[in-house]
């Protein structure tokens, strides 16, 4: 994960240097495409199924020399991006928990030979929940989920608006557990809530709003590595 740390630190600097997220989200899309691509970028690459990132240099082979660069750097950074957004407070816009975790981790293991399990324990400490499932999916595994979604908005008898929908998951066995941000756009402003997905089919319903939502954006901020 060390190269993923460096790659994502650069992405966060880009985000801080260029407010508005346009450049940052463009970079995250590039990282996603690098993980999923077939061919290109310095040599043939078969996508994430080539190897889990914990193999490090061993991700590369004679047949797929670009795999180390694509997977360890790009997927490693994306794993931190997913953790950051799972810790993000969408109401206040605060990344305080993620920043605190990273400072704690760097301080605790400065100059030491830390391991992926050490990082897992640090993540659990700051998220206050077991996270072995996350590392099994993204660090030790090679699958990437694909999602399809549908939604409808409707007006309640009291005049308020709600959105109901369904998210279907494919290409993973067993189904992945992810925390998907769903953003509702209004004529003025937007609201984001996080939907946990932990199965083949997930139904969701938003809180009620006084004004009609104009659009619904799934996987806002390129939060989840997926198709």
């Amino acid at each position: 994960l060390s190269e993923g740390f460096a790659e994502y630190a650069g992405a966060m600097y880009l985000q801080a240097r260029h407010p508005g997220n346009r450049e940052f989200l463009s970079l995250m899309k590039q990282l996603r495409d690098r993980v999923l691509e077939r061919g290109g970028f310095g040599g043939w690459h078969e996508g994430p199924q080539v190897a889990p990132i914990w193999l490090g240099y061993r991700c590369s082979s004679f047949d797929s020399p670009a795999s180390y660069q694509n997977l360890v750097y790009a997927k490693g950074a994306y794993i931190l991006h997913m953790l950051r957004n799972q810790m993000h407070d969408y109401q206040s816009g605060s990344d305080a928990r993620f920043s605190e975790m990273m400072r704690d981790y760097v301080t605790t293991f400065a100059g030491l030979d830390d391991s992926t399990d050490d990082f897992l324990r640090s993540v659990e400490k700051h998220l206050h929940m077991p996270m072995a499932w996350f590392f099994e999916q993204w660090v030790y595994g090679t699958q990437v989920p694909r999602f399809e979604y549908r939604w409808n908005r409707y007006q309640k008898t009291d005049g308020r608006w709600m959105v109901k929908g369904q998210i279907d998951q494919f290409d993973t066995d067993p189904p992945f557990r992810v925390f998907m941000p769903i953003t509702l756009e209004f004529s003025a402003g937007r609201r984001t809530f996080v939907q946990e997905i932990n199965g083949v089919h997930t139904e969701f319903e938003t809180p009620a709003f006084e004004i009609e939502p104009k659009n619904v954006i799934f996987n806002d901020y390129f939060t989840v590595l997926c198709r």
Side-chain angles (χ1 to χ4, degrees):
L1 284 175
S2 59
E3 297 296 0
F5 274 65
E7 189 85 359
Y8 195 61
M12 292 183 70
Y13 172 78
L14 181 70
Q15 185 179 30
R17 181 67 177 81
H18 298 280
N21 280 338
R22 184 171 64 89
E23 290 84 357
F24 173 73
L25 294 179
S26 175
L27 176 60
M28 294 311 304
K29 181 179 183 300
Q30 291 176 39
L31 293 177
R32 181 199 65 184
D33 292 346
R34 278 175 54 186
V35 174
L36 299 178
E37 74 178 348
R38 291 174 58 90
F41 197 79
W44 187 258
H45 174 62
E46 287 284 350
Q49 70 271 22
V50 172
I53 65 169
W54 70 269
L55 285 174
Y57 286 115
R58 292 171 292 175
C59 289
S60 293
S61 68
F62 180 81
D63 293 327
S64 187
S67 293
Y68 169 71
Q69 199 79 4
N70 281 280
L71 295 178
V72 172
Y73 283 74
K75 190 179 180 183
Y78 225 108
I79 287 170
L80 289 173
H81 184 58
M82 288 188 283
L83 287 173
R84 177 188 178 189
N85 281 278
Q86 192 170 332
M87 295 180 176
H88 184 70
D89 185 336
Y90 285 94
Q91 298 304 313
S92 66
S94 173
D95 277 321
R97 281 203 298 172
F98 180 76
S99 298
E100 181 183 351
M101 179 196 71
M102 296 300 285
R103 281 195 298 267
D104 182 22
Y105 186 67
V106 169
T107 301
T108 301
F109 293 99
L112 302 178
D113 188 15
D114 57 312
S115 68
T116 303
D117 283 343
D118 291 325
F119 184 57
L120 165 60
R121 286 189 288 271
S122 183
V123 171
E124 291 178 332
K125 172 184 174 182
H126 290 271
L127 258 177
H128 308 295
M129 62 182 290
M131 289 294 289
W133 58 270
F134 180 93
F135 282 68
E136 287 296 326
Q137 290 176 176
W138 300 110
V139 178
Y140 300 112
T142 61
Q143 295 180 322
V144 171
R146 175 171 60 91
F147 295 106
E148 294 181 3
Y149 58 86
R150 54 185 177 270
W151 61 274
N152 285 295
R153 62 189 152 220
Y154 68 96
Q155 193 170 24
K156 301 176 63 178
T157 55
D158 63 5
R160 295 185 299 168
W161 290 86
M162 298 184 70
V163 171
K164 283 187 175 181
Q166 179 173 307
I167 303 171
D168 298 325
Q169 181 177 174
F170 305 89
D171 301 342
T172 56
D173 183 25
F176 272 21
R177 181 185 185 188
V178 301
F179 290 84
M180 175 77 72
I182 302 176
T183 297
L184 276 63
E185 291 186 320
F186 301 92
S187 53
R190 43 194 274 153
R191 289 281 301 275
T192 300
F193 69 97
V194 177
Q195 175 65 50
E196 181 178 356
I197 301 172
N198 196 12
V200 175
H201 307 292
T202 300
E203 295 184 355
F204 69 90
E205 184 175 85
T206 70
F209 297 96
E210 299 296 331
I211 56 178
E212 178 184 3
K214 300 299 182 183
N215 189 31
V216 178
I217 302 173
F218 290 81
N219 201 23
D220 205 4
Y221 313 108
F222 291 99
T223 292
V224 179
L225 177 60
C226 64
R227 298 180 176 90

